[in-house]
Amino acid sequence: MTTQPTLKLTPEMASRFASLALNHLTREYPNKIMHAMSSSADAQTPRQLHPIFYGSYDWHSCVHGYWLLLRLLDRFPDLPEAEKIVSVVTAHFTAENVAGEMAYLQQPQHNGFERPYGWAWFLALTQQLHEMTLPQAAGWAKTLAPMSRFFEKSFADFLPKATYPLRVGSHFNTAFALALTLDYARSVKHSALASTLEETALRWHLEDVHCQAWEPGGDEFLSPSLMEAELMRRVLPGDAFVTWFGRFLPDLAHSQPATLFTPATVTDRNDGKIGHLDGLNLSRAWCQRSLAGALPAGDPRATLLRQTAEVHLHSALDHLDSTYMGEHWLATFALLALEA
C-alpha cells in the first residue's frame, strides 16, 4: 500500500467547506422530498413543508449542513464566512419556523419520517449547539428544543420494538444513527436515552463474529461493517471492545476482508446514487481513523487502518464539489474523517 501524507483539517479547508454549505443550505431547488400525502392540501413546496430544512436537496442534508457550519465556526471562530453563518442560522432557527417543522413531524402520515438518519443528524446538530461557546448557540438550542425532544422520544419509542438492525450502507443504517445519537445522549446527560441506545447496540451486535464485509453496494455511503464497529467502540469499554473487534474482524491484520482496504470506484458523479461512493470513501476514512485510535499502542492493525484511511480520504477530497449531487452533502463526511 502506498503511504499517503496524513491529512488534517486546516483553516483553508474549513473555509472551503463553509462556502460549499452556504451555497446549498438555503437553495430550495433542485429538491428531493420524501413526503407522504393524505390530501391535495399536502401538495406544497419544500419551503412550505419545511421552513428551516428546505435546502440542500433533501431534509437530512440540510440538517447536517447546519451541523457542518456550526462545527466549523466553533473550531475556527475567525472564519471569513462567520458573519454569514450567524446570519443564516439566526434567520432560520426561529420559534415560528420550528412550529412549522413540528406541525409536519406530528402529522400521522409522517410517522417515521427520516428514520433513523435524519433523527440522528438532528440530535447531532442539537449536541453541537449545546457544546458551543458562541453566545447565540444556547438560544438557538432552546429554540430547537421541541424538535430535540420529539426525536429523543422517537428513538425511545422505536428502538425497543426494532427486533433487527438494518445492516445496509445507506440512510437506513441503524449503527450510524445509534452512534451519533449515543454521542448526543451522553453529551446532554440524557441517561435514559443513552441506556436504551447501549442496550439496543448490545442486543443487535454483541455476538457478531467473522464479518464477511460483502460491500460496498452500488449506492452505499457507509460501510456496514466499519460503522457497526464504530458503534461498538462507543458502547464497549476499552479492553472489551478490543476483544469484540478481534472476533468481529479476525483477519484485519492481514488486510482482510480485502474490500475494506480498497477505495470504491466512482464512475459517474452526476448519478446521485453512484456518487454516494465518494461518501463511502470518506466515511470509511472516518471509521478507520477512529477505530485505529481505540486499539492498543503498537497494534499493527492500527497502523494499517490509518494508512488505509489516508488512501480513502485522498481518493475523495478533490470531488466534494464535482457536481451538486455531491456538493450538497459530501463536505460533512469529509469533516468527520478529518476530525477523527
Side-chain angles (χ1 to χ4, degrees):
M1 181 183 297
T2 302
T3 301
Q4 296 276 12
T6 301
L7 287 166
K8 296 181 179 180
L9 183 66
T10 65
E12 293 75 22
M13 283 185 183
S15 180
R16 178 192 174 202
F17 294 174
S19 293
L20 287 174
L22 287 168
N23 185 52
H24 62 70
L25 205 63
T26 59
R27 180 175 172 178
E28 189 172 4
Y29 300 103
N31 202 299
K32 181 180 180 181
I33 56 174
M34 293 180 286
H35 177 47
M37 300 172 63
S38 59
S39 75
S40 59
D42 293 325
Q44 298 181 339
T45 67
R47 190 162 190 170
Q48 289 171 326
L49 296 169
H50 303 295
I52 302 176
F53 305 112
Y54 59 85
S56 306
Y57 192 66
D58 49 47
W59 193 90
H60 50 257
S61 297
C62 197
V63 171
H64 66 66
Y66 278 104
W67 173 89
L68 172 71
L69 287 177
L70 291 165
R71 192 163 185 86
L72 291 171
L73 183 59
D74 197 38
R75 288 285 308 274
F76 301 97
D78 296 326
L79 270 179
E81 298 78 13
E83 184 177 349
K84 177 65 172 175
I85 292 170
V86 171
S87 175
V88 169
V89 176
T90 300
H92 287 79
F93 288 13
T94 67
E96 181 182 5
N97 286 347
V98 168
E101 294 280 353
M102 285 296 296
Y104 184 90
L105 293 171
Q106 291 172 325
Q107 293 178 34
Q109 71 268 30
H110 299 143
N111 181 37
F113 172 75
E114 287 284 352
R115 184 179 79 197
Y117 185 77
W119 297 6
W121 267 121
F122 186 86
L123 294 176
L125 169 61
T126 305
Q127 176 186 348
Q128 182 59 45
L129 290 171
H130 278 286
E131 294 178 351
M132 292 181 75
T133 57
L134 185 75
Q136 298 95 320
W140 292 334
K142 185 177 180 180
T143 299
L144 295 183
M147 294 182 70
S148 304
R149 290 192 294 268
F150 179 87
F151 288 121
E152 290 171 358
K153 186 176 186 303
S154 296
F155 271 114
D157 290 345
F158 170 66
L159 291 178
K161 61 186 179 184
T163 305
Y164 311 106
L166 277 74
R167 304 173 189 273
V168 295
S170 60
H171 306 88
F172 303 104
N173 181 284
T174 45
F176 176 86
L178 264 62
L180 262 62
T181 307
L182 183 56
D183 287 350
Y184 163 80
R186 289 172 173 171
S187 176
V188 302
K189 296 180 171 54
H190 193 322
S191 57
L193 179 58
S195 294
T196 297
L197 294 160
E198 292 162 0
E199 291 164 4
T200 303
L202 292 172
R203 171 166 58 88
W204 283 346
H205 300 304
L206 184 60
E207 303 304 322
D208 289 354
V209 296
H210 295 283
C211 177
Q212 298 300 303
W214 286 321
E215 53 181 272
D219 67 349
E220 294 186 333
F221 62 92
L222 296 168
S223 162
S225 55
L226 294 178
M227 199 63 247
E228 177 180 332
E230 182 61 4
L231 169 62
M232 296 303 282
R233 180 186 67 80
R234 288 164 166 80
V235 173
L236 294 171
D239 289 345
F241 169 73
V242 173
T243 299
W244 177 89
F245 191 54
R247 295 197 307 264
F248 183 62
L249 290 168
D251 298 317
L252 199 69
H254 303 291
S255 300
Q256 295 294 326
T259 184
L260 297 181
F261 295 87
T262 305
T265 300
V266 187
T267 57
D268 184 359
R269 290 183 170 87
N270 288 300
D271 184 307
K273 294 294 189 180
I274 295 175
H276 272 176
L277 294 168
D278 276 321
L280 173 68
N281 291 333
L282 293 169
S283 66
R284 276 186 179 176
W286 164 46
C287 292
Q288 288 158 346
R289 282 180 161 190
S290 295
L291 293 167
L295 295 175
D299 191 319
R301 294 174 298 175
T303 300
L304 187 59
L305 284 168
R306 290 191 179 98
Q307 291 174 345
T308 306
E310 298 310 312
V311 174
H312 279 77
L313 192 48
H314 279 272
S315 75
L317 266 188
D318 288 341
H319 302 293
L320 303 186
D321 57 353
S322 294
T323 73
Y324 192 62
M325 288 296 96
E327 181 184 330
H328 78 271
W329 69 283
L330 283 174
T332 293
F333 282 84
L335 181 59
L336 287 171
L338 289 164
E339 285 196 326

